[in-house]
């Protein structure tokens, strides 16, 4: 698909409508192996719009509706970055509409980065205008992947839950994009809290539109023992980071070996990366 899309954008072929919705990647995906380190990344890619100042929200707003010839260059830059990671959570992707030249951006980034497993969650279907989606990219085949519509006054927010390893004691990754409303966040995190209640090894990652301190003290996550990044991990806006809105929160059983805000300003958010190590006892079960 990657080469075909490149030819398509170079004018060799007409645009082709691609299937939309949730999909999995190529058949030959390695089974999960509990390596000591798992490299995680979460990134709100703003549908491939390169935003580097507040004025671009106005002057480049048309790119949320119409295609732009340089969007594919931004996607290629994102693919170059994410090729260094094992599991990637993507927010604000387009699943194949006019504005993205009918390209499923989750699939494109998976194939361009050489990551074999991908899953797209379509959260807000605006037909030809936009296909608002979350995405999961993974170097390992999950045990299972489920998508969840998050509650809220305005529909269109979702989460992807992927389980890896042992079915009896899995590593559970929850990829999400929360609403801006604090009231909606309360309901959404209450729902997420129910989904993770029975698991020991949990990672929550995504654009949560709130600071970690409030998420872990003023929401249903307050009765968890999830470990956040430092308060200084500001990811928004990318050209002058002042707010920590993007997070990777992990169970204390998962040792954080490294965490950082990646200086890679191609969206209005900066990506967040973390290397985690599974506990020794868990590794011995493989």
């Amino acid at each position: 698909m990657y080469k075909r899309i490149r030819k398509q954008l170079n004018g060799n072929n007409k645009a082709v409508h691609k299937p939309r919705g949730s999909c999995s990647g190529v058949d030959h995906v390695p089974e999960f192996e509990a390596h000591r380190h798992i490299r995680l990344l979460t990134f709100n890619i703003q549908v491939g719009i390169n935003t580097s100042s507040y004025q671009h929200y106005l002057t480049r707003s048309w790119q949320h509706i119409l295609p732009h010839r340089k969007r594919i260059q931004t996607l290629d830059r994102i693919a170059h970055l994410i090729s260094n990671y094992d599991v990637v959570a993507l927010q604000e992707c387009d699943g194949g509409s006019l504005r993205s030249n009918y390209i499923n951006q989750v699939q494109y980034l998976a194939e361009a980065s050489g990551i074999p497993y991908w899953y797209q969650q379509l959260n807000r279907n605006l037909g030809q205008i936009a296909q608002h989606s979350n995405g999961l990219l993974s170097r390992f085949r999950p045990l299972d992947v489920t998508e969840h519509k998050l509650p809220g006054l305005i529909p269109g927010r979702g989460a992807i839950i992927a389980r890896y390893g042992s079915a009896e004691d899995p590593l559970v990754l929850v990829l999400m994009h929360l609403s801006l409303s604090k009231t909606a966040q309360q309901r959404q995190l209450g729902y997420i809290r129910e989904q993770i209640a029975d698991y020991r090894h949990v990672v929550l990652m995504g654009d949560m539109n709130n600071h970690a301190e409030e998420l872990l003290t003023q929401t249903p996550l307050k009765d968890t023992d999830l470990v956040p990044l430092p308060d200084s991990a500001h990811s928004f806006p990318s050209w002058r980071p002042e707010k920590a809105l993007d997070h990777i929160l992990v169970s204390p059983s998962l040792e954080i070996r490294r965490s950082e805000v990646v200086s890679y300003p191609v969206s209005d958010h900066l990506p967040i990366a973390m290397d985690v190590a599974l506990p020794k006892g868990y590794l011995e079960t493989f």
Side-chain angles (χ1 to χ4, degrees):
M1 177 182 176
Y2 174 61
K3 292 181 179 179
R4 184 167 65 251
I5 290 172
R6 295 300 307 190
K7 290 181 180 179
Q8 175 181 313
L9 291 170
N10 289 334
N12 294 334
N13 295 304
K14 294 183 179 179
V16 178
H17 292 251
K18 300 296 178 186
R20 297 173 181 149
S22 56
C23 309
S24 58
V26 298
D27 294 333
H28 303 291
V29 183
E31 297 293 337
F32 177 74
E33 296 181 4
H35 298 295
R36 284 301 299 170
H37 299 275
I38 300 174
R39 299 164 296 175
L40 305 173
L41 184 84
T42 182
F43 199 179
N44 181 325
I45 69 168
Q46 201 191 20
V47 296
I49 299 174
N50 194 337
T51 302
S52 56
S53 70
Y54 282 113
Q55 69 179 15
H56 287 162
Y57 285 122
L58 176 63
T59 61
R60 299 181 182 179
S61 60
W62 61 272
Q63 294 181 32
H64 285 280
I65 301 173
L66 298 173
H68 179 48
R69 61 185 177 85
K70 291 187 177 181
R71 194 187 306 263
I72 201 70
Q73 297 175 14
T74 300
L75 291 180
D76 285 342
R77 292 180 64 192
I78 294 171
H80 178 73
L81 170 70
I82 65 181
S83 66
N84 298 302
Y85 296 90
D86 296 320
V87 179
V88 179
L90 298 173
Q91 304 90 49
E92 291 196 24
C93 307
D94 190 85
S97 66
L98 174 64
R99 64 179 178 175
S100 65
N101 288 103
Y102 301 102
I103 293 170
N104 184 325
Q105 293 182 335
V106 179
Q107 182 179 8
Y108 182 90
L109 288 171
E111 297 185 3
S113 63
I115 298 177
Y117 187 94
W118 62 272
Y119 189 97
Q120 176 211 350
Q121 178 190 34
L122 178 58
N123 291 313
R124 191 173 296 148
N125 187 347
L126 300 183
Q128 301 291 321
I129 298 175
Q131 299 282 304
H132 297 285
S133 302
N134 291 335
L136 160 68
L137 308 183
S138 176
R139 295 199 181 278
F140 311 110
R141 185 186 301 276
L143 285 172
D144 51 50
V145 177
T146 55
E147 58 178 75
H148 302 258
K149 302 297 183 183
L150 296 178
L153 181 62
I154 301 175
R157 300 289 182 172
I160 300 172
I161 299 181
R163 302 191 311 153
Y164 293 85
S166 165
E168 293 75 25
D169 189 22
L171 171 65
V172 179
L173 273 61
V174 184
L175 294 58
M176 71 188 77
H177 190 185
L178 300 184
S179 296
L180 294 169
S181 162
K182 298 297 188 290
T183 301
Q185 288 179 12
Q186 291 286 336
R187 295 180 60 195
Q188 291 165 358
L189 291 173
Y191 177 85
I192 294 296
R193 179 69 183 93
E194 293 177 359
Q195 303 306 309
I196 65 174
D198 297 331
Y199 298 112
R200 290 197 304 157
H201 314 297
V202 176
V203 177
L204 305 187
M205 52 197 299
D207 180 355
M208 302 186 194
N209 278 310
N210 206 339
H211 291 269
E213 181 180 0
E214 184 166 347
L215 290 169
L216 296 175
T217 61
Q218 305 297 322
T219 78
L221 296 182
K222 64 185 179 182
D223 62 345
T224 70
D225 50 4
L226 293 171
V227 179
L229 276 72
D231 292 339
S232 58
H234 295 167
S235 59
F236 182 86
S238 59
W239 56 92
R240 189 182 300 167
E242 299 173 341
K243 298 181 179 180
L245 304 183
D246 303 271
H247 302 283
I248 301 178
L249 311 174
V250 301
S251 298
S253 63
L254 303 173
E255 180 185 350
I256 300 174
R257 291 293 181 87
R258 179 180 179 182
S259 63
E260 63 178 332
V261 179
V262 184
S263 181
Y264 208 77
V266 296
S267 167
D268 60 343
H269 288 246
L270 292 175
I272 298 287
M274 180 182 288
D275 287 5
V276 298
L278 292 171
K280 182 178 180 181
Y282 186 76
L283 289 170
E284 291 173 349
T285 65
F286 288 85

